[in-house]
Amino acid sequence: MSKEIMNPVQIIEHHFEQAAARLHLDSTMRDYLRAISRELSFTLILENGKLYHGYLVQHDCTLGLYKGGTRFFPEVNLDEFRGLGKGMTWKNSFHGLPLGGMKGGVDCDPKTLTRKELKEICEKFIDETFHLIGPEMAVLGPDAGVTAEMMGWMMKRYSLLSGVPNIWGAVTGKPTELHGSYGRKDATGTGGAVVILEVLKKLGINVKDCRIIAEGFGNVNIPAVKILYKNGAKIIGLSDSHGAIFQENGFEGIDIERAIELKESGKKPLAELETGKVITHDELFAMPCDVWISAAVGTTITAQRAKSMNAQVLAELGNICATVEADEIFRGKKIVVLPDTMASGGGVNVSWYEMVQNRQWEQWPEKVVLAKLQKHMKEIFEYGWQYSQEKGLYLRDAVFDLAVKRVVDARRCTVC
Ligand code: GLU
C-alpha cells in the first residue's frame, strides 16, 4: 500500500488537478495555475541569538492583490506555506473576493516566547518581506499563533520602513484601536458556525438534537462552539494540544461557558473541567457525533482516523485538515464535508472588510460587520450547495470547481 500523503502542497495540488480535469483546462492554463508567482525563505536571528526560519509564498494574483494569513507555529516549512498559499487563492476565489492568495509565517512557538521576542520576530518578518508586501500588493492577516497585537506591530514596522506614520491598510487583523475591524477576532469561527447551521437545515437535523465534537479548542473553535451551543447544540467532545474529553452519556453536553473560562484563564488542560471522560485525540475520532468540527492546526485527519469517524458532517474550519486518502473515505461513507475552502472563509472575509474600511477611513460597528458576514456565509454556502446538487458533485469538488473556474475566467480576459 502506498504511503499516505501528509504534505499540504500535495494535498491541495491533488484537489486542483481533479478540478482541472473536470473543467477540461488546457495544459497552458494548468501550468499557469500550478505555478507559484513568488516565494521567499529567510532566516530571522534575534538579538539574543535565537534563530528561526521565515517564509512568504504568493501563489496567484489574477483576482487581485495577494491576501492571506501569517502563521507562527513550530516546525512549519516552505511546503506547508506553498500549500496554504495555494489554498488561499482558491478560498478567496470561491468567496468572490477581489483577492489573490498567499501565506507567510515563521517556525516559532509563540507560547514559549517573551513579548519582546515576539515583537522582534514580527518586525524582522516585515523587514524581510517589505519589498513583496503592502496595501497595493500583498496584505498579510492573522493565522495560527498570531494575535491582533502582533498584526499591529507589523503595521507599525511597515509604516516606519515606508517613512509614513500609519499605513493602516498594510495588514489586517489589527487591534480595533489601530483601525482593525470589529468582529475580525472571532470571524473564522463565526462564519463556520453559520455554514454548520445551514447544512443542518439542509439535512433536516434539528440543532437541539445535534451532538458536536470540536477538534482544536482555540481561537477558531471557541467562537464557533459558543454560537452552536447558544443555538441549542450539545457539545459532547473537545480536544486541544494536551488531549481530549468526551461526555460518555453524550447527551447533557459539556458546559461550554466553563470550558471557555478554563481555556481563557491560562491554557489549563481540558481534563481539569472534570466533566466527561479524558481520552486521547485518536480515541475522540471514533466517538459518535452528528458534526465533527476540525480547527486544529495542520493536517490532523488521516485515513486511519477517517475510518474510525462516526459523524454525519465534517466542518473544516482549519486549513487543509484532511489527507486525500481520508477524503476518499468520507466520500465512501457519505459524510457531508463542508470543505475548508468554504467553511473557513469567515476570517478572510472580515479581513477584506477591514481593507475596505481602511481605504474609506471608516470603522463599522460590530453589528454591521456581523450582519454582513452572516449574510455572506449563508449565500456562499447556498452557492456551493446548489452547484453540488445540480452537478451531482461531492461538495469539496463543487467548491473547488467554482473556485478554479473564477480564476480561469479572469485569467482568460488578460491573455491572448
Ligand atoms: N488565516 C485566515 C485563513 O486562513 C485568514 C487570513 C487573512 O485574514 O488574510 O483564511
Side-chain angles (χ1 to χ4, degrees):
M1 211 176 85
S2 63
K3 204 168 173 296
E4 188 166 7
I5 298 166
M6 299 300 297
N7 184 336
V9 72
Q10 286 175 283
I11 297 172
I12 207 92
E13 278 169 0
H14 168 89
H15 296 310
F16 166 73
E17 295 301 335
Q18 302 288 311
R22 282 189 299 271
L23 297 170
H24 307 292
L25 301 187
D26 62 40
S27 63
T28 313
M29 185 61 83
R30 289 182 199 211
D31 282 347
Y32 170 74
L33 296 172
R34 280 178 195 131
I36 283 171
S37 302
R38 314 191 288 198
E39 62 182 29
L40 200 64
S41 314
F42 45 91
T43 50
L44 295 172
I45 302 172
L46 306 195
E47 279 165 23
N48 60 15
K50 288 188 184 171
L51 184 145
Y52 298 97
H53 299 92
Y55 305 94
L56 184 71
V57 175
Q58 301 182 331
H59 170 228
D60 185 85
C61 62
T62 307
L63 296 173
L65 56 78
Y66 300 101
K67 180 81 189 90
T70 321
R71 179 171 289 195
F72 287 3
F73 206 76
E75 289 166 33
V76 283
N77 57 42
L78 183 58
D79 261 359
E80 189 161 336
F81 287 107
R82 286 178 173 146
L84 294 166
K86 289 185 172 198
M88 285 311 298
T89 301
W90 308 129
K91 190 187 307 189
N92 293 341
S93 174
F94 175 70
H95 279 265
L97 296 171
L99 301 168
M102 74 166 175
K103 202 86 160 196
V106 179
D107 65 348
C108 64
D109 182 0
K111 286 189 205 127
T112 65
L113 296 170
T114 65
R115 243 177 122 236
K116 189 167 173 291
E117 286 170 326
L118 278 170
K119 187 160 183 278
E120 206 183 330
I121 293 175
C122 289
E123 291 174 350
K124 291 207 152 80
F125 183 77
I126 295 299
D127 294 349
E128 293 292 338
T129 57
F130 182 69
H131 61 297
L132 292 180
I133 61 171
E136 299 299 332
M137 183 138 70
V139 177
L140 293 162
D143 195 81
V146 170
T147 61
E149 183 180 45
M150 296 182 210
M151 295 314 298
W153 291 333
M154 292 190 220
M155 184 278 293
K156 274 289 180 191
R157 187 64 164 199
Y158 183 87
S159 307
L160 182 98
L161 296 176
S162 310
V164 175
N166 293 299
I167 303 184
W168 306 121
V171 307
T172 61
K174 304 176 293 288
T176 50
E177 293 81 351
L178 296 178
H179 295 248
S181 178
Y182 285 101
R184 174 64 188 86
K185 188 172 152 285
D186 291 350
T188 308
T190 306
V194 174
V195 293
I196 292 169
L197 291 170
E198 291 304 298
V199 82
L200 292 182
K201 282 188 222 156
K202 293 282 183 207
L203 301 177
I205 302 173
N206 183 340
V207 65
K208 300 207 162 52
D209 300 328
C210 180
R211 297 157 312 150
I212 293 181
I213 294 181
E215 180 201 3
F217 196 52
N219 288 347
V220 172
N221 253 340
I222 288 178
V225 154
K226 218 191 229 173
I227 295 170
L228 295 163
Y229 180 71
K230 275 196 188 139
N231 276 271
K234 308 280 180 302
I235 316 300
I236 58 168
L238 292 176
S239 78
D240 66 8
S241 51
H242 302 282
I245 51 169
F246 182 73
Q247 277 246 337
E248 266 181 305
N249 65 23
F251 220 65
E252 279 317 301
I254 294 161
D255 180 344
I256 283 303
E257 271 142 30
R258 265 192 63 219
I260 295 172
E261 250 170 55
L262 179 90
K263 268 315 262 191
E264 289 174 349
S265 69
K267 307 180 193 90
K268 290 203 194 105
L270 287 166
E272 285 191 26
L273 269 178
E274 287 170 4
T275 170
K277 200 171 163 194
V278 179
I279 57 176
T280 66
H281 198 170
D282 274 318
E283 285 165 342
L284 187 65
F285 269 96
M287 298 298 151
C289 64
D290 298 298
V291 179
W292 178 283
I293 314 179
S294 183
V297 182
T299 308
T300 54
I301 311 181
T302 57
Q304 202 189 356
R305 286 172 163 181
K307 264 186 221 146
S308 73
M309 264 172 90
N310 195 350
Q312 296 193 59
V313 174
L314 163 67
E316 296 181 340
L317 270 54
N319 289 304
I320 318 182
C321 306
T323 65
V324 171
E325 292 78 357
D327 197 48
E328 290 301 327
I329 292 164
F330 297 142
R331 288 167 197 252
K333 282 183 158 180
K334 305 245 177 307
I335 293 181
V336 177
V337 175
L338 298 171
D340 53 353
T341 312
M342 170 200 276
S344 74
V348 73
N349 269 281
V350 177
S351 272
W352 174 57
Y353 303 161
E354 187 168 323
M355 291 165 70
V356 174
Q357 292 171 75
N358 290 163
R359 277 176 195 238
Q360 295 173 338
W361 297 72
E362 283 182 4
Q363 200 167 28
W364 307 338
E366 184 162 20
K367 67 173 192 306
V368 171
V369 173
L370 287 181
K372 211 170 149 61
L373 177 65
Q374 266 163 13
K375 180 170 179 291
H376 168 78
M377 293 303 294
K378 280 187 184 175
E379 287 171 359
I380 209 69
F381 167 80
E382 201 56 40
Y383 175 56
W385 182 267
Q386 286 309 335
Y387 190 79
S388 86
Q389 298 286 310
E390 267 164 39
K391 304 277 176 189
L393 286 170
Y394 179 62
L395 196 50
R396 188 190 308 281
D397 296 345
V399 166
F400 238 87
D401 288 4
L402 289 166
V404 172
K405 192 171 176 313
R406 184 166 170 245
V407 179
V408 167
D409 290 347
R411 179 69 188 160
R412 288 201 174 119
C413 299
T414 67
V415 290
C416 307

CSV table of all heavy atoms in Angstrom, one decimal, residues 2 4-5 11 14-15 18 22 301-304 306-307 314 316 322-335 337 394 396-397:
chain,number,residue,atom,x,y,z
A,2,SER,N,0.5,2.2,-0.8
A,2,SER,CA,1.4,3.4,-0.9
A,2,SER,C,1.2,4.2,0.4
A,2,SER,O,0.2,4.2,1.1
A,2,SER,CB,1.0,4.3,-2.1
A,2,SER,OG,-0.3,4.7,-2.0
A,4,GLU,N,0.6,7.3,2.9
A,4,GLU,CA,-0.3,8.4,2.8
A,4,GLU,C,0.4,9.7,2.7
A,4,GLU,O,1.4,10.0,3.3
A,4,GLU,CB,-1.1,8.4,4.2
A,4,GLU,CG,-2.2,9.3,4.2
A,4,GLU,CD,-3.2,9.1,5.4
A,4,GLU,OE1,-2.8,8.2,6.2
A,4,GLU,OE2,-4.2,9.7,5.4
A,5,ILE,N,-0.2,10.6,1.8
A,5,ILE,CA,0.5,11.9,1.6
A,5,ILE,C,0.0,12.9,2.7
A,5,ILE,O,-1.2,13.2,2.8
A,5,ILE,CB,0.1,12.4,0.2
A,5,ILE,CG1,0.6,11.5,-0.9
A,5,ILE,CG2,0.6,13.8,0.0
A,5,ILE,CD1,0.0,11.7,-2.2
A,11,ILE,N,-1.5,17.8,-1.2
A,11,ILE,CA,-3.0,17.6,-1.0
A,11,ILE,C,-3.7,18.6,-1.8
A,11,ILE,O,-4.7,18.3,-2.5
A,11,ILE,CB,-3.3,17.7,0.5
A,11,ILE,CG1,-2.6,16.6,1.3
A,11,ILE,CG2,-4.8,17.7,0.7
A,11,ILE,CD1,-2.8,16.7,2.8
A,14,HIS,N,-3.5,18.0,-5.5
A,14,HIS,CA,-4.4,16.9,-5.9
A,14,HIS,C,-5.8,17.4,-6.2
A,14,HIS,O,-6.4,17.1,-7.2
A,14,HIS,CB,-4.5,15.8,-4.8
A,14,HIS,CG,-5.5,14.8,-5.0
A,14,HIS,ND1,-5.3,13.6,-5.8
A,14,HIS,CD2,-6.9,14.8,-4.7
A,14,HIS,CE1,-6.5,13.0,-5.8
A,14,HIS,NE2,-7.4,13.6,-5.2
A,15,HIS,N,-6.3,18.2,-5.3
A,15,HIS,CA,-7.7,18.8,-5.5
A,15,HIS,C,-7.7,19.7,-6.7
A,15,HIS,O,-8.7,19.7,-7.4
A,15,HIS,CB,-8.2,19.5,-4.2
A,15,HIS,CG,-8.3,18.6,-3.0
A,15,HIS,ND1,-9.0,17.4,-3.1
A,15,HIS,CD2,-7.9,18.7,-1.7
A,15,HIS,CE1,-9.0,16.8,-1.9
A,15,HIS,NE2,-8.3,17.6,-1.1
A,18,GLN,N,-7.7,17.5,-9.9
A,18,GLN,CA,-9.1,16.9,-10.2
A,18,GLN,C,-10.0,17.9,-10.8
A,18,GLN,O,-10.8,17.6,-11.7
A,18,GLN,CB,-9.6,16.4,-8.8
A,18,GLN,CG,-8.8,15.4,-8.1
A,18,GLN,CD,-8.8,14.0,-8.8
A,18,GLN,OE1,-9.9,13.5,-9.2
A,18,GLN,NE2,-7.6,13.5,-9.1
A,22,ARG,N,-11.9,18.0,-14.4
A,22,ARG,CA,-13.4,18.1,-14.6
A,22,ARG,C,-13.7,19.3,-15.5
A,22,ARG,O,-14.7,19.3,-16.2
A,22,ARG,CB,-14.0,18.3,-13.2
A,22,ARG,CG,-14.2,17.0,-12.4
A,22,ARG,CD,-15.1,17.2,-11.2
A,22,ARG,NE,-14.5,18.2,-10.3
A,22,ARG,CZ,-13.7,17.9,-9.3
A,22,ARG,NH1,-13.3,16.6,-9.1
A,22,ARG,NH2,-13.2,18.8,-8.5
A,301,ILE,N,-6.4,15.0,10.1
A,301,ILE,CA,-7.3,13.9,9.7
A,301,ILE,C,-6.7,12.9,8.7
A,301,ILE,O,-6.7,13.2,7.5
A,301,ILE,CB,-8.7,14.4,9.2
A,301,ILE,CG1,-9.2,15.4,10.2
A,301,ILE,CG2,-9.7,13.2,9.1
A,301,ILE,CD1,-10.6,16.0,9.8
A,302,THR,N,-6.2,11.8,9.2
A,302,THR,CA,-5.6,10.8,8.4
A,302,THR,C,-6.6,9.8,8.0
A,302,THR,O,-7.7,9.7,8.5
A,302,THR,CB,-4.4,10.1,9.2
A,302,THR,OG1,-5.1,9.6,10.4
A,302,THR,CG2,-3.3,11.1,9.6
A,303,ALA,N,-6.2,8.8,7.1
A,303,ALA,CA,-7.1,7.8,6.7
A,303,ALA,C,-7.5,6.9,7.9
A,303,ALA,O,-8.7,6.6,8.0
A,303,ALA,CB,-6.4,6.9,5.6
A,304,GLN,N,-6.6,6.6,8.7
A,304,GLN,CA,-6.9,5.8,9.9
A,304,GLN,C,-8.0,6.5,10.8
A,304,GLN,O,-9.0,5.8,11.2
A,304,GLN,CB,-5.7,5.5,10.7
A,304,GLN,CG,-5.8,4.3,11.5
A,304,GLN,CD,-4.6,4.2,12.5
A,304,GLN,OE1,-3.7,5.0,12.5
A,304,GLN,NE2,-4.7,3.2,13.3
A,306,ALA,N,-10.1,8.9,9.8
A,306,ALA,CA,-11.3,9.0,9.0
A,306,ALA,C,-12.1,7.7,9.0
A,306,ALA,O,-13.3,7.7,9.1
A,306,ALA,CB,-10.9,9.4,7.5
A,307,LYS,N,-11.4,6.6,9.0
A,307,LYS,CA,-12.0,5.2,9.0
A,307,LYS,C,-12.8,5.1,10.3
A,307,LYS,O,-13.9,4.5,10.3
A,307,LYS,CB,-11.0,4.1,8.9
A,307,LYS,CG,-10.8,3.6,7.5
A,307,LYS,CD,-9.9,2.4,7.5
A,307,LYS,CE,-8.9,2.5,6.4
A,307,LYS,NZ,-7.6,2.0,6.6
A,314,LEU,N,-18.7,16.8,8.5
A,314,LEU,CA,-17.4,17.2,8.9
A,314,LEU,C,-17.3,18.7,8.4
A,314,LEU,O,-17.4,19.0,7.2
A,314,LEU,CB,-16.2,16.4,8.2
A,314,LEU,CG,-14.9,17.1,8.3
A,314,LEU,CD1,-14.3,17.2,9.7
A,314,LEU,CD2,-13.9,16.3,7.4
A,316,GLU,N,-14.7,21.8,8.1
A,316,GLU,CA,-13.3,22.1,8.1
A,316,GLU,C,-13.1,23.6,8.4
A,316,GLU,O,-13.2,24.4,7.4
A,316,GLU,CB,-12.6,21.7,6.8
A,316,GLU,CG,-12.7,20.2,6.6
A,316,GLU,CD,-12.0,19.8,5.3
A,316,GLU,OE1,-11.8,20.6,4.4
A,316,GLU,OE2,-11.6,18.6,5.2
A,322,ALA,N,-7.7,17.5,6.1
A,322,ALA,CA,-7.7,16.1,5.8
A,322,ALA,C,-6.8,15.7,4.7
A,322,ALA,O,-6.6,16.4,3.7
A,322,ALA,CB,-9.1,15.7,5.5
A,323,THR,N,-6.2,14.5,4.8
A,323,THR,CA,-5.4,13.9,3.7
A,323,THR,C,-6.4,13.5,2.5
A,323,THR,O,-7.6,13.4,2.7
A,323,THR,CB,-4.6,12.7,4.1
A,323,THR,OG1,-5.5,11.7,4.4
A,323,THR,CG2,-3.7,13.0,5.3
A,324,VAL,N,-5.8,13.3,1.3
A,324,VAL,CA,-6.6,12.9,0.2
A,324,VAL,C,-7.2,11.5,0.5
A,324,VAL,O,-8.4,11.3,0.2
A,324,VAL,CB,-5.7,12.8,-1.1
A,324,VAL,CG1,-6.4,12.1,-2.2
A,324,VAL,CG2,-5.1,14.2,-1.4
A,325,GLU,N,-6.4,10.6,1.2
A,325,GLU,CA,-6.9,9.3,1.5
A,325,GLU,C,-8.1,9.4,2.5
A,325,GLU,O,-9.1,8.7,2.3
A,325,GLU,CB,-5.8,8.5,2.1
A,325,GLU,CG,-4.7,8.1,1.1
A,325,GLU,CD,-3.6,9.2,0.9
A,325,GLU,OE1,-3.8,10.3,1.4
A,325,GLU,OE2,-2.7,9.0,0.1
A,326,ALA,N,-8.0,10.3,3.4
A,326,ALA,CA,-9.1,10.5,4.4
A,326,ALA,C,-10.3,11.0,3.6
A,326,ALA,O,-11.4,10.5,3.9
A,326,ALA,CB,-8.7,11.5,5.5
A,327,ASP,N,-10.1,11.9,2.7
A,327,ASP,CA,-11.2,12.5,1.9
A,327,ASP,C,-11.9,11.4,1.1
A,327,ASP,O,-13.1,11.4,1.0
A,327,ASP,CB,-10.7,13.6,1.0
A,327,ASP,CG,-11.8,14.5,0.5
A,327,ASP,OD1,-12.6,14.9,1.3
A,327,ASP,OD2,-11.9,14.7,-0.7
A,328,GLU,N,-11.1,10.4,0.6
A,328,GLU,CA,-11.8,9.3,-0.2
A,328,GLU,C,-12.7,8.5,0.7
A,328,GLU,O,-13.7,8.1,0.3
A,328,GLU,CB,-10.7,8.4,-0.7
A,328,GLU,CG,-9.8,9.0,-1.9
A,328,GLU,CD,-10.7,9.4,-3.0
A,328,GLU,OE1,-11.7,8.7,-3.3
A,328,GLU,OE2,-10.3,10.4,-3.7
A,329,ILE,N,-12.2,8.4,2.0
A,329,ILE,CA,-13.1,7.6,3.0
A,329,ILE,C,-14.4,8.3,3.2
A,329,ILE,O,-15.4,7.8,3.3
A,329,ILE,CB,-12.2,7.3,4.2
A,329,ILE,CG1,-11.1,6.3,3.9
A,329,ILE,CG2,-13.1,6.8,5.4
A,329,ILE,CD1,-10.0,6.2,4.9
A,330,PHE,N,-14.3,9.7,3.4
A,330,PHE,CA,-15.5,10.4,3.6
A,330,PHE,C,-16.5,10.3,2.5
A,330,PHE,O,-17.7,10.2,2.7
A,330,PHE,CB,-15.2,11.9,3.8
A,330,PHE,CG,-14.3,12.2,5.0
A,330,PHE,CD1,-13.4,13.2,4.9
A,330,PHE,CD2,-14.5,11.5,6.2
A,330,PHE,CE1,-12.6,13.5,6.0
A,330,PHE,CE2,-13.7,11.8,7.3
A,330,PHE,CZ,-12.7,12.8,7.2
A,331,ARG,N,-16.0,10.3,1.2
A,331,ARG,CA,-16.8,10.1,0.1
A,331,ARG,C,-17.5,8.8,0.2
A,331,ARG,O,-18.8,8.7,0.0
A,331,ARG,CB,-16.0,10.1,-1.2
A,331,ARG,CG,-15.5,11.5,-1.5
A,331,ARG,CD,-14.4,11.5,-2.6
A,331,ARG,NE,-13.6,12.7,-2.6
A,331,ARG,CZ,-13.7,13.6,-3.6
A,331,ARG,NH1,-14.5,13.5,-4.6
A,331,ARG,NH2,-13.0,14.7,-3.5
A,332,GLY,N,-16.8,7.7,0.5
A,332,GLY,CA,-17.3,6.4,0.6
A,332,GLY,C,-18.4,6.3,1.7
A,332,GLY,O,-19.4,5.6,1.5
A,333,LYS,N,-18.1,6.9,2.8
A,333,LYS,CA,-19.0,6.8,4.0
A,333,LYS,C,-20.2,7.8,3.8
A,333,LYS,O,-21.1,7.9,4.7
A,333,LYS,CB,-18.3,7.2,5.2
A,333,LYS,CG,-17.4,6.2,5.8
A,333,LYS,CD,-16.8,6.7,7.1
A,333,LYS,CE,-16.3,5.7,8.1
A,333,LYS,NZ,-15.8,6.3,9.3
A,334,LYS,N,-20.2,8.6,2.8
A,334,LYS,CA,-21.2,9.6,2.5
A,334,LYS,C,-21.3,10.7,3.7
A,334,LYS,O,-22.4,11.1,4.1
A,334,LYS,CB,-22.6,9.0,2.3
A,334,LYS,CG,-22.6,8.0,1.1
A,334,LYS,CD,-23.5,8.5,0.0
A,334,LYS,CE,-23.5,7.6,-1.2
A,334,LYS,NZ,-22.2,7.2,-1.8
A,335,ILE,N,-20.2,11.0,4.2
A,335,ILE,CA,-20.1,12.1,5.2
A,335,ILE,C,-20.2,13.4,4.4
A,335,ILE,O,-19.5,13.5,3.4
A,335,ILE,CB,-18.8,12.0,6.1
A,335,ILE,CG1,-18.9,10.7,6.9
A,335,ILE,CG2,-18.7,13.2,6.9
A,335,ILE,CD1,-17.7,10.5,7.9
A,337,VAL,N,-19.1,16.8,3.8
A,337,VAL,CA,-17.9,17.6,4.2
A,337,VAL,C,-18.1,19.1,3.8
A,337,VAL,O,-18.3,19.4,2.6
A,337,VAL,CB,-16.6,17.0,3.5
A,337,VAL,CG1,-15.4,17.9,3.8
A,337,VAL,CG2,-16.4,15.6,4.0
A,394,TYR,N,-19.6,15.9,-5.2
A,394,TYR,CA,-19.3,15.9,-3.8
A,394,TYR,C,-19.0,17.4,-3.5
A,394,TYR,O,-18.4,18.1,-4.3
A,394,TYR,CB,-18.0,15.1,-3.6
A,394,TYR,CG,-17.3,15.0,-2.3
A,394,TYR,CD1,-17.9,14.4,-1.2
A,394,TYR,CD2,-16.0,15.4,-2.2
A,394,TYR,CE1,-17.2,14.3,0.0
A,394,TYR,CE2,-15.3,15.2,-1.0
A,394,TYR,CZ,-15.9,14.7,0.1
A,394,TYR,OH,-15.3,14.5,1.3
A,396,ARG,N,-16.8,19.2,-1.8
A,396,ARG,CA,-15.5,19.7,-2.0
A,396,ARG,C,-15.2,20.0,-3.5
A,396,ARG,O,-14.6,21.0,-3.9
A,396,ARG,CB,-14.4,18.8,-1.4
A,396,ARG,CG,-13.0,19.5,-1.4
A,396,ARG,CD,-11.9,18.5,-1.0
A,396,ARG,NE,-12.1,17.7,0.2
A,396,ARG,CZ,-11.9,18.2,1.5
A,396,ARG,NH1,-11.5,19.4,1.6
A,396,ARG,NH2,-12.1,17.4,2.5
A,397,ASP,N,-15.6,19.0,-4.3
A,397,ASP,CA,-15.4,19.1,-5.7
A,397,ASP,C,-16.1,20.3,-6.3
A,397,ASP,O,-15.6,21.0,-7.2
A,397,ASP,CB,-15.8,17.8,-6.5
A,397,ASP,CG,-14.9,16.6,-6.0
A,397,ASP,OD1,-13.9,16.9,-5.4
A,397,ASP,OD2,-15.3,15.5,-6.3
